[in-house]
Amino acid sequence: MEMAGTELRLGLPGTDSSSSASKITNKRPSSDMINSNDDEPAPKAQVVGWPPVRSYRKNVLQASYVKVSMDGAAYLRKINLNVYKSYPQLLKALDNMFKCSIGVCSEREGYNGCDYVATYEDKDGDWMLAGDVPWDMFINSCRRLRIMKGSEAKGLACL
Amino acid sequence: MASASLPEQVLKHLFSFLTSDKDRNCVSLVCKLWYEVERRCRRSVFIGNCYAVTPDIMIRRFPQLTSLTLKGKPHFADFNLVPDGWGAYVDPWIAAMSQSYPFCLEEIRLKRMVVTDESLELISTSFHNFKVLILLSCEGFTTDGLAAIAANCRNLRELDLGESEVEDLSSDWLSHFPDGCTSLVSLNISCLGSEINFSDLERLITCSPNLKTLRLSQAVPLEKLPDLLCRAPQLVEFGTGAYSSEVQSDVFSNLEEAFSGCKKLEGLSGFWDVTPAYLPAVYPVCSRLTSLNLSYATIQNPDLNKLISRCHNLQRLWVLDYIEDTGLQALAASCKDLQELRVFPSDPFGPEPNVSLTEQGLVAVSDGCPKLQTVLYFCRQMTNAALVTIARNRPNMICFRLCILEPRSPDYLTLEPLDAGFGAIVEQCKELRRLSLSGLLTDRIFEYIGAHAKKLEMLSVAFVGDSDLGLHHVLSGCESLRKLEIRDCPFGDKALLANAAKLETMRSLWMSSCSVSFGACELLSQKMPRLNIEVIDENGPPDTQSESCPVEKLYIYRTVAGPRFDMPGFVRIMNQDAAH
């Protein structure tokens, strides 16, 4: 995977910033609520509890099983994302499955000190760092997972 | 006076013809004698807000109940707006009833409540003739609790787990049902996630000759369905498990034959993970179907169309927006008995539409289906003209819930607010009982609602309105209003304080991300001692709020129970110390 693809930029690789405006905000961390005091129209951030679809229903909509590849492993595995309710739960399951230690990006330390990091391919075909977006959004858009060596992920900073 | 001399037995007999709670409540207000007679012979109680009353008050008034229905968390809890730990615990109710109703209580129906394994065990051992357990959108229990119910409730007729969150600890809880025939009529385990022991399931179904409703979980594969259906050809409602498999002609023909054998089948649901090639196996039952829930089925046209157009007697359809406008037009042409339509979004968070579903689809159904009265519709665009047409077509509408995915979306053709369109709905549909608004709306829509929506009982409002005037119109005009839930609207103190008395005539009011100040909450609670004013704030201890600070979330409900004491740290009940 080329490093350019993992570079953090304000836009998707190969697009200009204006056309991808709506796509950017779907990948930002969610803001809790639209501040109705803003004069300018609120950016299209994800709002808690909107649209009003029950989590039960949201969770069931995705394809249940996604492929998981790990650098250096001979076989791919499959896991059912619907079974997990949070990133820590998922990472623990992946740790068990591959007998390794997968780190979560922390705001202070970044990815230093992790043997492996979890990345995923989203609906648009982009490879994303797992952990940025809210869990619900993640399982909606995750198509496959790849567990990468921490050293390869050095180019990925954390917001 | 004749009524004064009627003996209690006669009154009891007369009252036994009154089944609705409303009638019974009226009767108990006539005079003290009638109150006394009625309360002793009341068998079924519905409590729409578990904090409006206490178990003790209920038991003191009604010494012999057969059935209790309890609702807990506010509706917006469905969308994660109510933080975990808020409350709605059923344990105190079960504990109290196990002492007072051991021989009479047979049915418990709960919605949005927290249920523990301890409570389930207590239910299973305390109530000698327990028959019906319905847990809709509940949480807090595991399959261990279900094992107790299965093992101990010898006369169990209905076990419905709704869309509850159940912790799956073991797949063998089904084995706890007794050997020999069970009295099961209805079993809904569709929410369970983990593996199922198939031989237990098969045995249970074979031993339940009265089974009419069976909803399986996703863990039951398609290959198992023919066998299960052949054991229960008398089913009226059936929910499949995962409906996918490699396409094999013998599996298909077994399945088709099994469905053909179900001559009484009227309702189908389930359909997780559908392999379209297996849909035709269901064709033999289509003409008899009145209810079809495909809202988890990611199938598209033409497979979807081919299935639905065979269901000429359909009254209720739940489906994903893969049906698109073309599918809805076909629906309008084939299903003239349709009463209820729910269209859910397949990609609620995607920024661009992934399907061609617009306002046109809903207009088509409103035009073609004369009995359509209940609508839940998620879409990405709407016009005033479409809403006006829908209103004109369907003045018999009772429940209209429209969710335009992008908040504050205007009429996409004229760029105007949708006031005129929704206004037409409330003006034309005089029997409207439930309404959910979305899109760009000003205070004007609330003026229309206050003026016309006289039968409206529940209103849901999000990202709309301009000022307090909007809220004031609703509170002062909607005579039948029972539940009002509001989020992200510029409504504040004035309207609330001016309509304080109205709040006691309603079950509850929810307001989150609005502009109601802490000070107003204090004032309101002083004015209205029979309301619980709950301020929910996860951002910091509510004690540090200044008077003018807007509260994050507000939940107001009438109660005769006084303030509750089971709330977590982030919930504060105003004036709690002063009131009691």
Side-chain angles (χ1 to χ4, degrees):
Chain A
M1 186 162 69
E2 50 186 32
M3 289 312 284
T6 59
E7 222 180 296
L8 256 192
R9 285 191 271 144
L10 279 180
L12 300 172
T15 62
D16 61 55
S17 50
S18 58
S19 68
S20 54
S22 62
K23 294 211 172 191
I24 297 170
T25 53
N26 271 341
K27 291 169 172 136
R28 262 169 45 195
S30 74
S31 56
D32 264 355
M33 56 197 83
I34 287 182
N35 187 343
S36 50
N37 291 331
D38 272 350
D39 282 334
E40 65 228 323
K44 197 167 165 181
Q46 177 157 76
V47 174
V48 171
W50 190 266
V53 177
R54 300 192 53 214
S55 347
Y56 180 83
R57 191 166 282 288
K58 277 189 286 194
N59 288 348
V60 172
L61 277 181
Q62 305 71 242
S64 320
Y65 284 88
V66 296
K67 289 184 190 169
V68 190
S69 63
M70 165 134 156
D71 290 358
Y75 301 99
L76 271 62
R77 300 293 301 270
K78 266 198 157 175
I79 57 164
N80 181 353
L81 286 180
N82 290 335
V83 168
Y84 309 105
K85 302 243 159 46
S86 66
Y87 285 112
Q89 274 186 23
L90 171 65
L91 291 180
K92 188 155 156 225
L94 291 174
D95 281 359
N96 284 339
M97 195 180 253
F98 291 100
K99 305 284 180 276
C100 65
S101 145
I102 303 173
V104 186
C105 176
S106 83
E107 286 187 13
R108 279 166 280 114
E109 297 165 40
Y111 271 85
N112 296 332
C114 295
D115 295 335
Y116 292 94
V117 301
T119 64
Y120 67 100
E121 183 181 16
D122 75 357
K123 276 196 287 219
D124 304 322
D126 298 312
W127 283 92
M128 316 289 296
L129 202 56
D132 281 342
V133 300
W135 176 255
D136 273 355
M137 217 176 152
F138 165 73
I139 54 178
N140 245 300
S141 49
C142 173
R143 288 291 160 261
R144 53 188 297 168
L145 281 160
R146 174 185 164 199
I147 303 180
M148 236 164 104
K149 288 216 176 60
S151 48
E152 270 190 54
K154 276 233 178 81
L156 294 161
C158 293
L159 275 176
Chain B
M1 183 63 226
S3 67
S5 63
L6 281 174
E8 179 167 329
Q9 283 303 104
V10 176
L11 281 175
K12 259 173 95 165
H13 182 69
L14 290 174
F15 295 167
S16 69
F17 294 102
L18 299 173
T19 45
S20 95
D21 287 333
K22 263 201 188 141
D23 290 341
R24 291 219 141 215
N25 291 345
C26 286
V27 142
S28 59
L29 290 174
V30 166
C31 64
K32 282 205 172 128
L33 173 65
W34 283 36
Y35 175 88
E36 285 300 314
V37 174
E38 195 284 320
R39 74 179 187 86
R40 285 199 289 269
C41 66
R42 173 105 56 136
R43 293 290 165 261
S44 169
V45 159
F46 168 87
I47 296 174
N49 172 9
C50 63
Y51 289 120
V53 73
T54 65
D56 289 339
I57 293 175
M58 176 187 77
I59 291 170
R60 245 182 293 134
R61 179 170 174 188
F62 303 115
Q64 248 196 317
L65 285 188
T66 309
S67 143
L68 174 65
T69 304
L70 266 179
K71 290 182 164 186
K73 300 187 202 177
H75 174 236
F76 274 176
D78 282 357
F79 316 124
N80 298 335
L81 287 178
V82 178
D84 277 341
W86 174 81
Y89 305 107
V90 82
D91 286 15
W93 292 87
I94 308 297
M97 292 195 298
S98 66
Q99 299 296 308
S100 305
Y101 300 148
F103 294 102
C104 53
L105 193 74
E106 296 176 358
E107 306 179 8
I108 294 176
R109 294 175 172 81
L110 305 177
K111 187 166 185 181
R112 288 191 206 97
M113 295 205 66
V114 177
V115 181
T116 60
D117 284 346
E118 287 72 35
S119 272
L120 290 177
E121 276 153 45
L122 195 53
I123 290 173
S124 75
T125 52
S126 309
F127 304 113
H128 297 246
N129 198 24
F130 196 70
K131 293 197 175 119
V132 173
L133 183 62
I134 308 221
L135 304 173
L136 303 180
S137 304
C138 295
E139 55 173 346
F141 59 103
T142 78
T143 42
D144 285 354
L146 297 179
I149 297 284
N152 301 329
C153 301
R154 299 277 139 164
N155 293 321
L156 193 66
R157 281 216 310 251
E158 291 181 44
L159 178 60
D160 183 343
L161 303 180
E163 290 173 342
S164 296
E165 269 183 46
V166 184
E167 202 184 329
D168 280 309
L169 292 181
S170 72
S171 61
D172 76 341
W173 70 275
L174 277 176
S175 68
H176 290 255
F177 276 103
D179 289 331
C181 281
T182 75
S183 39
L184 268 184
V185 171
S186 168
L187 180 64
N188 177 3
I189 53 170
S190 55
C191 64
L192 295 182
S194 73
E195 297 308 308
I196 287 252
N197 185 314
F198 295 122
S199 55
D200 288 338
L201 182 61
E202 281 157 17
R203 182 178 61 87
L204 182 62
I205 293 173
T206 312
C207 293
S208 304
N210 297 320
L211 198 61
K212 299 269 183 307
T213 296
L214 175 64
R215 300 200 202 275
L216 302 170
S217 69
Q218 289 179 66
V220 181
L222 185 139
E223 294 83 9
K224 292 281 179 190
L225 293 187
D227 179 65
L228 294 175
L229 281 174
C230 287
R231 290 167 196 266
Q234 76 282 4
L235 284 178
V236 176
E237 313 236 326
F238 179 62
T240 74
Y243 203 73
S244 64
S245 181
E246 261 178 47
V247 184
Q248 290 171 303
S249 59
D250 55 337
V251 175
F252 179 90
S253 51
N254 285 345
L255 189 54
E256 191 187 30
E257 204 180 311
F259 272 116
S260 304
C262 298
K263 306 286 185 201
K264 304 237 180 96
L265 203 56
E266 286 173 16
L268 273 182
S269 58
F271 295 106
W272 286 283
D273 228 6
V274 176
T275 301
Y278 279 106
L279 284 177
V282 162
Y283 287 176
V285 301
C286 284
S287 60
R288 259 177 273 117
L289 287 183
T290 57
S291 167
L292 184 55
N293 182 351
L294 294 171
S295 61
Y296 298 109
T298 51
I299 40 178
Q300 327 241 1
N301 292 325
D303 300 307
L304 194 45
N305 254 355
K306 278 198 247 173
L307 176 59
I308 294 175
S309 57
R310 283 178 150 76
C311 303
H312 297 285
N313 288 312
L314 210 56
Q315 292 172 16
R316 190 168 79 152
L317 176 67
W318 293 21
V319 74
L320 284 171
D321 56 9
Y322 290 126
I323 193 171
E324 299 193 321
D325 288 342
T326 49
L328 289 175
Q329 278 149 14
L331 176 70
S334 335
C335 304
K336 295 303 184 184
D337 276 346
L338 195 71
Q339 293 173 20
E340 175 177 336
L341 174 67
R342 295 196 193 195
V343 179
F344 294 94
S346 54
D347 188 18
F349 300 112
E352 303 298 324
N354 60 326
V355 291
S356 177
L357 179 106
T358 70
E359 78 282 6
Q360 294 307 318
L362 187 55
V363 171
V365 181
S366 76
D367 187 36
C369 302
K371 300 190 190 165
L372 186 71
Q373 58 182 29
T374 301
V375 166
L376 171 62
Y377 199 75
F378 284 81
C379 62
R380 290 175 188 265
Q381 63 184 47
M382 187 49 59
T383 63
N384 281 310
L387 285 171
V388 168
T389 305
I390 292 167
R392 234 187 311 114
N393 286 341
R394 294 275 65 79
N396 52 324
M397 191 75 70
I398 289 183
C399 168
F400 189 73
R401 295 155 71 189
L402 181 68
C403 179
I404 305 168
L405 288 175
E406 180 66 28
R408 305 195 184 92
S409 300
D411 176 322
Y412 78 95
L413 291 177
T414 66
L415 298 183
E416 283 172 1
L418 292 169
D419 298 331
F422 276 107
I425 296 277
V426 296
E427 221 181 319
Q428 301 284 321
C429 307
K430 307 213 190 293
E431 300 299 312
L432 197 69
R433 293 207 291 260
R434 186 167 177 184
L435 177 66
S436 297
L437 299 176
S438 59
L440 182 65
L441 291 163
T442 70
D443 283 347
R444 172 144 294 167
I445 183 54
F446 298 108
E447 205 183 309
Y448 296 149
I449 291 175
H452 296 286
K454 295 306 179 186
K455 300 246 178 109
L456 192 67
E457 295 177 6
M458 182 168 177
L459 179 63
S460 308
V461 161
F463 302 103
V464 298
D466 299 323
S467 74
D468 262 359
L469 206 48
L471 181 56
H472 174 71
H473 284 309
V474 172
L475 289 177
S476 57
C478 296
E479 292 159 9
S480 311
L481 196 65
R482 290 189 298 114
K483 289 183 279 184
L484 179 57
E485 46 185 26
I486 302 173
R487 64 163 295 176
D488 294 274
C489 297
F491 299 148
D493 301 344
K494 274 201 296 211
L496 260 194
L497 291 172
N499 293 283
K502 172 73 175 175
L503 298 175
E504 236 186 57
T505 69
M506 293 164 52
R507 183 188 297 173
S508 65
L509 167 65
W510 169 279
M511 290 178 77
S512 56
S513 306
C514 297
S515 319
V516 180
S517 73
F518 194 75
C521 294
E522 278 180 323
L523 259 177
L524 193 59
S525 73
Q526 280 154 21
K527 244 177 136 168
M528 309 291 302
R530 283 188 302 198
L531 295 178
N532 274 357
I533 316 239
E534 295 197 6
V535 170
I536 300 166
D537 208 320
E538 290 178 283
N539 285 331
D543 300 309
T544 62
Q545 300 292 345
S546 75
E547 295 255 312
S548 55
C549 204
V551 303
E552 186 186 291
K553 295 170 184 172
L554 179 61
Y555 186 49
I556 300 176
Y557 53 90
R558 66 179 175 191
T559 179
V560 296
R564 61 187 177 110
F565 294 99
D566 63 354
M567 61 272 188
F570 55 78
V571 174
R572 173 170 169 173
I573 304 201
M574 302 309 304
N575 220 21
Q576 179 171 9
D577 319 304
H580 293 86

